[in-house]
Amino acid sequence: MSSAVPGVPDPDATAPPGPQDAEKPRSAEHARLAESADMSAPWRLWGPYLAGRQWGTVREDYSNDGDAWASFPFDHAHARAYRWGEDGLGGLCDRYGFLNFSVAMWNGQDPVLKERLFGLTNDEGNHGEDAKEHWWAVDGTPTHSWMQWLYRYPQAEYPYAELREQNAKRSRHEREYELADTGVLDDDRFFDVQVTYAKNAPDDVCIVVTATNHGPDPAPLHLLPQVWFRNTWAWGGDKRQGRLTQLLAPTLTASGLEAVEAEHGYLGRYVLAAEGAPTILCCDNETNAVGLFGADRNTSRYPKDGVNRRVVHGDTSAINPADSGTKAAFWYSWDAVGPGETVSVKLRLRQDAPDEDMFGAQFDAVLAARKSEADDFYASVIHAGLSTADRHVARRAYAGLLWTKQLYRFDVAQWLDGDDPVDSAATTRSVEGHRNTSWRHVALADVISMPDEWEYPWFAAWDTAFHTIPLAHVDPDFAKEQLLLMCREWAMHSNGQLPAHEWAFGDVNPPVHAWAAWHVYRIDGYRDRQFLIRVFTKLLMNFSWWVNRKDADGSNVFEGGFLGMDNIALFDRSAPLPPGFRLEQSDATSWMAFYCQQMLKIALELSRFDQAWDGTATKFFEHFLAIAEAMNAFGSHGVSLWDEDDGFFYDVLVAPDGAPEPLRVRSMVGLLPILGATEIPAWVIAEVPDVAERVRWLQKRRPELMGPLRSRSTPEGRKILLSLVDRERLEPILTRMFDTGEFLSPFGIRSLSKSTGQVFANVGGRDASIEYEPGESRTGLFGGNSNWRGPVWFPVNVLLADKLRTLGRHYGDSFTIELPTGSGNRCTLIDAADLIDNSLTRLFRPVDGKRPADGDRIESSDSPLWRDHPTFNEFFDGDTGEGLGASHQTGWTALVAHLLNPRLPPDPRWA
């Protein structure tokens, strides 16, 4: 491609022919995406795949007791080599994680270099694990041709001990003690350190690091851009140990810069050059076993913490005098950066040797071009009709989503068996019944969309599914790849179960994969049927796993466990019940009805083009009817999940003698039956005759099953609604759902009714209780770091709105509800769906200059230094809307970008 700037795709070029007719790309970034259908594409080789946190993960836990946080604590991270990945600040790495780059810094006072994000472990935080830093993904494009990341670095000594001590003193009834509470951010005494990446070509990355002193006084600063190889050699497997060597004259011929050559057996040769005259410090990415564990000697004379020891402690013996190793830093320092002053450094990573012009006009032109192309890309992706504030939130949501794409490496068999010669815990770890012993097949080395850069630096199957919805707007190929990856044989269990998360792959997440696949297919233009076939055939196995494992007696009423909703129940639903007891779950059964319908929808789409799929469509149609009959009439042994007096669905605990005990807690569990709603379009009658004939047969021979089926006449023909909840039950459920004294908050639907006082129960001799908790969890159930006992959660709200819209399209003006309950204002169900969506987006829309999601945190400051940076939290206070839990959960909370854009047009092929 020709271009004024090397590596810039020609905007007038056309994309290669694909499923659709070739068409002119909407932007230069769209042209790059057309060349980059999968992760092996050149433009995807380098990206923000470096983890935000590797310490404290299950992957790095080689202990006897399985305490991952204690096994590899933060205090070890600067001096101990990781086994499965790396971490850093605002970093990038290659697709395979061999060569890594990030920025370290020192304010002249900290006891350790700031090389990675700090936070409290699950046992240290009064509400579970919690990052104690401020950082933001500022911008990014899907091919990572342009990326910006910002970190707020205090100028005073970072208060590690104070944060630990103060949070340890606080109960679960108190707010968390945050970095701003320590006073180190007062008077804006901090540096904003921003890292910018712009690719000149797939293997040529221009990097700028800037630091701005926002405080009132001059302050010292050290910036240390670092490059290193992941340690693959210490474990006896991959012997391709890379080597970093400082380039010196006469090999280095260019002036005005310093450079390090990186040679690797797989990547080949790269050079990282830095403008100016920084001091290059080299050591090895090896553990300092002497310093950490009192060993007699280290594998390397210059272990991983060598740069830290040299800069912070002045230990010149920590650095290799031969100017080589597997880790190197470019040390820049300023004795005093003035108030308002910005200092900057330029670096460039590429395969070509350094030259005199590599930091000249062309370097600046690449940055300007990529910035302009990013603006053009988002001008196309984000609807022009949105306000400036909404566009800013949407773009930041996409940036966070793209920045939390991380390389996830984990071979469970190797981890269980142990490949470290001194791993004495391997025999304990691999004993049957310990963590993940039945998931030995998991062997991942893939770039995966993570829920959160720090708190959840590992995938969760249902999180991933929700991530793909906003991802499909900016990078549909990556979105499809993520859904397929969870179903591949190195992730999905041979029995069909999808892996939940690394703490327990065998946990059960809600089955939202088919719903996400359908929506990604739709957002991508209804064009990629090969994707639908690939994901559908794998989900057939997963559906069978649900039926075989979670329907104990074939009653079509399902169990399931915690189903991603942590502490929503009176007790831990994943824990074994007393002998003879079983829990029949409203949400598990609802999820399966929902799953049936999504599989039916996909099967119908495939059947339009190939009649061989007709049989799968009828299978899911009838399976849904069977589940609906079981749930709406009786569960197993005559146990009903519907309470006629309360007008609500409840979980039911069944005793050994068959006696049922409804667990009368009004929670999201009882709202989820609404998800079992889908319309069968009019074209099915003509284009999928096998399904039409089966419907007619059932209407004639099994009319008792047809209660969930409703039909209506439209200009296009008869449309059929399948709904788990009929009109008579839907109305009382929605009456509670839109009652401000129960579920409806100004910011969405609460996970637990606000009217819930303290409810006690005895479960087989065990006492349990629950009450409305709108904010942080006041119990330690599931660690206490998330809470489903009152707050608003984005993903389930989006699902509820989606299904209310489905019901509203069918019923139209013939079904109205009070909105809110008791107001006398009657609205359609589509109006109700819009209310939920608008409530969610309201979290990010300023009121008197403040976003409700910012709550009482420092982010609510009227200073533009805070106001310009929205955070995307894990969940939101059920009363105030304040963002809580993980502060960078741009994964499913990035759904706000999907909601802010107007509805997609209907499928152009039919109404």
Side-chain angles (χ1 to χ4, degrees), residues 231-342:
N231 188 328
T232 61
W233 52 88
W235 324 99
D238 191 341
K239 295 296 185 181
R240 293 173 296 188
Q241 181 172 351
R243 197 69 184 164
L244 298 168
T245 306
Q246 182 177 358
L247 292 180
L248 302 169
T251 304
L252 180 64
T253 59
S255 59
L257 58 84
E258 299 291 344
V260 167
E261 180 183 59
E263 291 186 299
H264 187 268
Y266 182 84
L267 285 180
R269 176 183 182 272
Y270 276 84
V271 173
L272 179 64
E275 188 180 38
T279 300
I280 293 182
L281 308 174
C282 295
C283 59
D284 287 313
N285 187 14
E286 300 271 12
T287 298
N288 185 348
V290 173
L292 288 178
F293 310 117
D296 293 333
R297 58 183 295 274
N298 288 321
T299 302
S300 167
R301 291 181 60 188
Y302 312 102
K304 178 179 176 179
D305 62 343
V307 176
N308 174 76
R309 287 159 54 206
R310 172 65 185 91
V311 174
V312 177
H313 302 290
D315 183 359
T316 57
S317 69
I319 297 302
N320 189 345
D323 300 318
S324 65
T326 49
K327 177 180 177 181
F330 296 82
W331 184 10
Y332 294 88
S333 63
W334 294 266
D335 292 335
V337 179
E341 182 183 357
T342 298

Side-chain angles (χ1 to χ4, degrees), residues 54-55 57-62 72 80-86 97 230-238 285 287 304 409-416 418-421 423 429:
Q54 186 71 12
W55 60 275
T57 60
V58 169
R59 309 188 289 290
E60 301 297 339
D61 177 13
Y62 282 81
F72 203 128
R80 182 173 164 190
Y82 294 120
R83 169 64 180 90
W84 293 101
E86 296 291 339
R230 178 170 56 87
N231 188 328
T232 61
W233 52 88
W235 324 99
D238 191 341
N285 187 14
T287 298
K304 178 179 176 179
R409 304 185 70 100
F410 193 19
D411 186 314
V412 173
Q414 286 188 27
W415 176 77
L416 288 170
D419 51 9
D420 182 345
D423 181 10
R429 199 165 51 251

Side-chain angles (χ1 to χ4, degrees), residues 12 54 63 65 98 106 177 278 343 353 374 462 497 513 542 748 802:
D12 295 325
Q54 186 71 12
S63 67
D65 58 7
F98 290 121
W106 188 49
Y177 188 73
V343 295
W462 80 312
Q497 185 180 5
H513 232 67
N542 179 246
D802 182 47

Side-chain angles (χ1 to χ4, degrees), residues 385-408:
L386 293 184
S387 68
T388 300
D390 282 352
R391 293 181 64 81
H392 179 64
V393 168
R395 188 157 173 175
R396 283 297 185 94
Y398 287 130
L401 195 63
L402 296 171
W403 267 95
T404 48
K405 291 164 62 174
Q406 296 183 7
L407 177 61
Y408 185 87

